[in-house]
Amino acid sequence: KQEVTQIPAALSVPEGENLVLNCSFTDSAIYNLQWFRQDPGKGLTSLLLIQSSQREQTSGRLNASLDKSSGRSTLYIAASQPGDSATYLCALLPSGSARQLTFGSGTQLTVLP
Amino acid sequence: DGGITQSPKYLFRKEGQNVTLSCEQNLNHDAMYWYRQDPGQGLRLIYYSQIVNDFQKGDIAEGYSVSREKKESFPLTVTSAQKNPTAFYLCASSLPREGRTGYTFGSGTRLTVV
């Protein structure tokens, strides 16, 4: 069974710092990987989607990478801002017939002004 | 703009009462999903539907029921058989796998037992 781990569970950084959030998984047979952001009491907002054939995706200050061979994905946030404070979740869709996302437990990010 | 609408935002249930959470999407997505989120436990799949008039149980379906009579709508009923329903419920949708656009989530419904 696919297991998804996000470390650290919580991270606090000063404004302006570049940071990396980690997501590791145990089964490399994935169809795609999606990074989400969740603000307190809100739904999930999709940030980036990486297909299994891709190595990375970029959107503004965000860059996500995927290395299936090592079972890792990273979300890089450049020049962090207080508005980036949220919980960040990674989720994997398996390449088999099951259509169920497997979620990590998230990293709670706080960017201090 | 297309998206997913969940209602109500907050819902209170008395003991022994059934309640229904609404989920509507105008993204023309075939597949829809219900997740439950509890603090410290992440998201868990309750039910999913890949096509109208068909749905499948997820990991924690006991005490819940769904219907999929229309492509746009996937309501979730929390029955009295669900002993611990207090949680944050999220609805999502996606195209078939070939669509390659990932999942879109609604804004959630917070259910509290009173």
Side-chain angles (χ1 to χ4, degrees):
Chain A
K1 181 182 176 182
Q2 176 76 271
E3 292 184 4
V4 182
T5 303
Q6 291 185 250
I7 295 174
L11 179 64
S12 183
V13 301
E15 180 177 4
E17 193 165 295
N18 301 328
L19 59 99
V20 174
L21 305 181
N22 296 297
C23 173
S24 61
F25 47 94
T26 55
D27 187 346
S28 63
I30 66 171
Y31 189 78
N32 60 40
L33 183 148
Q34 198 166 0
W35 281 93
F36 294 93
R37 167 187 172 138
Q38 185 175 32
D39 294 287
K42 305 293 186 183
L44 275 62
T45 299
S46 181
L47 298 174
L48 289 165
L49 174 69
I50 309 177
Q51 303 297 337
S52 64
S53 59
Q54 298 174 323
R55 297 284 290 183
E56 64 179 320
Q57 283 288 327
T58 298
S59 175
R61 294 183 294 108
L62 305 179
N63 175 278
S65 68
L66 175 64
D67 184 345
K68 291 193 299 178
S69 62
S70 66
R72 289 191 62 197
S73 176
T74 61
L75 179 66
Y76 174 83
I77 302 177
S80 59
Q81 304 170 357
D84 294 330
S85 298
T87 296
Y88 290 80
L89 296 157
C90 69
L92 283 69
L93 190 67
S95 57
S97 59
R99 296 193 178 197
Q100 298 183 26
L101 279 182
T102 300
F103 282 87
S105 53
T107 294
Q108 185 174 355
L109 173 66
T110 302
V111 180
L112 303 170
Chain B
D1 288 336
I4 297 179
T5 301
Q6 289 189 242
S7 62
K9 188 175 178 66
Y10 299 98
L11 186 58
F12 298 91
R13 192 194 93 166
K14 296 180 181 178
E15 294 284 348
Q17 187 180 45
N18 292 354
V19 292
T20 297
L21 285 60
S22 171
C23 178
E24 303 277 335
Q25 55 99 358
N26 60 2
L27 299 166
N28 201 31
H29 285 176
D30 293 289
M32 298 187 73
Y33 314 83
W34 275 105
Y35 288 87
R36 170 177 171 147
Q37 188 176 35
D38 296 279
Q41 293 199 43
L43 278 81
R44 293 181 289 170
L45 183 65
I46 305 173
Y47 268 99
Y48 63 101
S49 168
Q50 298 175 356
I51 195 170
V52 174
N53 293 323
D54 185 58
F55 48 82
Q56 306 295 328
K57 292 182 179 180
D59 299 321
I60 55 166
E62 184 175 353
Y64 301 97
S65 66
V66 294
S67 63
R68 187 85 187 277
E69 298 177 359
K70 299 187 301 181
K71 186 176 183 178
E72 302 79 15
S73 179
F74 191 40
L76 173 73
T77 297
V78 184
T79 74
S80 57
Q82 172 50 240
K83 298 307 179 186
N84 184 24
T86 294
F88 191 52
Y89 291 86
L90 287 161
C91 179
S93 70
S94 71
L95 285 168
R97 182 157 295 178
E98 295 71 24
R100 294 174 169 251
T101 57
Y103 281 49
T104 301
F105 279 80
S107 58
T109 293
R110 184 164 299 280
L111 174 62
T112 304
V113 174
V114 295

